[in-house]
Amino acid sequence: MTPLQQDRRAILVFLLVAVALHVVLILTGLWRSWAWPAIGFSFVLLILISERIGRHVPVRARQTYERTLALGFPVLLLSVWEMAGAMELISPIWFPPPSAIGTALWDVSVNYDRFSETSLLGRPWLIPQEYANGGFAAVGTLLSESHLLATLGRVFAGFLLGAIPGILLGVVMGLNQTVRLMLDTTLAAIYVLPKIAIFPVVMLMFADPFGEGPKIVVVALSVFILMTINTMTGVRNIDPVYLMAGRNYGASPLQMLRHVILPGAMPVIFAGLRIALGTAMIVIISVEFLRAKQGVGYMTFYYWEVLVPEKMYAGLVVVMILGVTLTGLLHWLQRRLMPWKK
């Protein structure tokens, strides 16, 4: 029997086992009591089936197969969640089905909350009307109500303020042992501090402790520490052969930095940027939970306080979409700055 025939037989057996399990539980009246173990076992069988299918996918269809797995599995999870809510296997009050969350996301996107005088997107469809009535000032006032833009502004500002100095200091620490010995222990000590715990201290540094400054600075500090450590590691891990080749060809310090050190450390730097971006999102959402009247974190916490869980979950969905989108932008930038990695 060929490997293909063996895998086909195994796939058929797995399918029959999954169907038989659910049929037996339904006929015996035990399905509701054993639903979650049965669903979990079915997912394990699905993984085994997918693995055997993947062994025989031709090279030209490999990318399609991988995308199907990457996108199909989340869709399947959402379908199970929807079904579990409809059958009351989970509480639809505290765990609203995806359809209810989608409806809530649409609601917070298109409607204006008159109590908090905010909206998720800032009602961009009213921009032409507001511009005709009051010019750019009116448009700015309209967009200033947006939770999404408020969070993005804080993340981008803090990310840039932390990443650029962090990369520069990391390069210096990677190249200079004296600076590294002086700062390494201090950075390691600050790194383990919960960034939300130093937010009250940061607030004391500003004349307006409830303004945007403390929120941006605490994000910048989180990113700065991560980028300094990652960049230093990337510079120290550069193959000494590249450094020797650059010096032998008479490269100046600036040329060494531009053509040898930064390209050599760039894979680790971008790995650090991805981690730092996730940390920035976590920190700003946490800060908006505590001290903000606007932002996706504030919106999520607000709907938790007023017991509208589907809109609270909608806020969490927005956070996840932001994370995926911003990470995708980093991947795009990495491909542009590191063409040799294609």
Side-chain angles (χ1 to χ4, degrees):
M1 185 179 295
T2 65
L4 178 59
Q5 291 173 330
Q6 291 176 350
D7 285 334
R8 283 178 176 174
R9 177 173 292 185
I11 290 171
L12 180 60
V13 170
F14 293 149
L15 288 173
L16 290 175
V17 168
V19 173
L21 173 64
H22 289 277
V23 169
V24 169
L25 289 177
I26 291 172
L27 292 177
T28 56
L30 297 174
W31 190 85
R32 183 173 290 275
S33 300
W34 289 86
W36 286 115
I39 292 172
F41 184 69
S42 299
F43 270 114
V44 173
L45 292 177
L46 176 63
I47 293 172
L48 295 176
I49 291 171
S50 301
E51 183 179 8
R52 278 160 175 76
I53 292 174
R55 294 174 183 174
H56 306 285
V57 174
V59 175
R60 64 179 180 276
R62 191 74 196 177
Q63 190 173 13
T64 302
Y65 167 76
E66 293 175 354
R67 287 180 178 176
T68 301
L69 285 183
L71 298 177
F73 193 72
V75 171
L76 182 60
L77 285 178
L78 292 176
S79 301
V80 171
W81 184 356
E82 185 77 27
M83 179 202 71
M87 302 182 69
E88 296 187 352
L89 296 176
I90 57 176
S91 171
I93 297 176
W94 303 116
F95 300 98
S99 58
I101 296 173
T103 302
L105 181 59
W106 175 259
D107 186 26
V108 298
S109 299
V110 302
N111 292 325
Y112 174 74
D113 189 328
R114 297 190 179 277
F115 177 76
S116 61
E117 297 183 341
T118 56
S119 63
L120 177 60
L121 302 177
R123 299 182 291 175
W125 52 88
L126 296 181
I127 289 177
Q129 174 185 332
E130 293 296 317
Y131 180 76
N133 293 334
F136 287 110
V139 173
T141 301
L142 178 68
L143 295 179
S144 66
E145 73 186 33
S146 170
H147 292 297
L148 183 63
L149 293 180
T151 297
L152 282 176
R154 293 162 184 159
V155 169
F156 280 133
F159 191 74
L160 291 175
L161 287 175
I164 295 174
I167 292 172
L168 295 176
L169 181 58
V171 171
V172 174
M173 291 179 65
L175 296 175
N176 190 296
Q177 185 181 21
T178 302
V179 177
R180 183 167 64 251
L181 292 174
M182 290 174 64
L183 298 181
D184 195 21
T185 304
T186 303
L187 290 175
I190 297 175
Y191 172 72
V192 299
L193 287 176
K195 304 309 177 288
I196 196 65
I198 63 175
F199 180 59
V201 178
V202 176
M203 292 176 66
L204 298 176
M205 299 164 53
F206 289 82
D208 181 8
F210 303 106
E212 293 299 306
K215 302 178 183 66
I216 293 173
V217 167
V218 76
V219 172
L221 286 173
S222 306
V223 173
F224 173 78
I225 300 296
L226 280 168
M227 290 313 305
T228 301
I229 295 174
N230 274 272
T231 304
M232 177 189 67
T233 303
V235 171
R236 294 195 66 193
N237 288 337
I238 295 175
D239 193 328
V241 172
Y242 298 136
L243 300 176
M244 291 169 54
R247 295 190 188 100
N248 290 338
Y249 278 101
S252 65
L254 185 59
Q255 289 173 326
M256 286 287 295
L257 177 65
R258 179 182 175 186
H259 297 291
V260 179
I261 296 171
L262 285 180
M266 206 168 285
V268 181
I269 290 176
F270 269 98
L273 286 172
R274 288 194 294 271
I275 298 172
L277 179 60
T279 302
M281 287 296 302
I282 293 171
V283 169
I284 197 58
I285 295 300
S286 302
V287 168
E288 290 175 350
F289 269 34
L290 297 175
R291 284 294 175 192
K293 292 300 180 183
Q294 198 173 6
V296 178
Y298 164 76
M299 183 188 79
T300 304
F301 188 69
Y302 167 73
Y303 285 119
W304 175 81
E305 286 185 308
V306 298
L307 296 179
V308 187
E310 59 271 17
K311 291 186 177 180
M312 179 197 75
Y313 279 98
L316 297 177
V317 170
V318 173
V319 174
M320 290 188 288
I321 292 174
L322 280 178
V324 171
T325 303
L326 295 177
T327 302
L329 289 175
L330 269 182
H331 279 294
W332 174 85
L333 182 62
Q334 183 176 6
R335 289 195 298 271
R336 294 298 181 274
L337 294 179
M338 299 172 58
W340 61 89
K341 283 288 184 180
K342 289 185 178 180

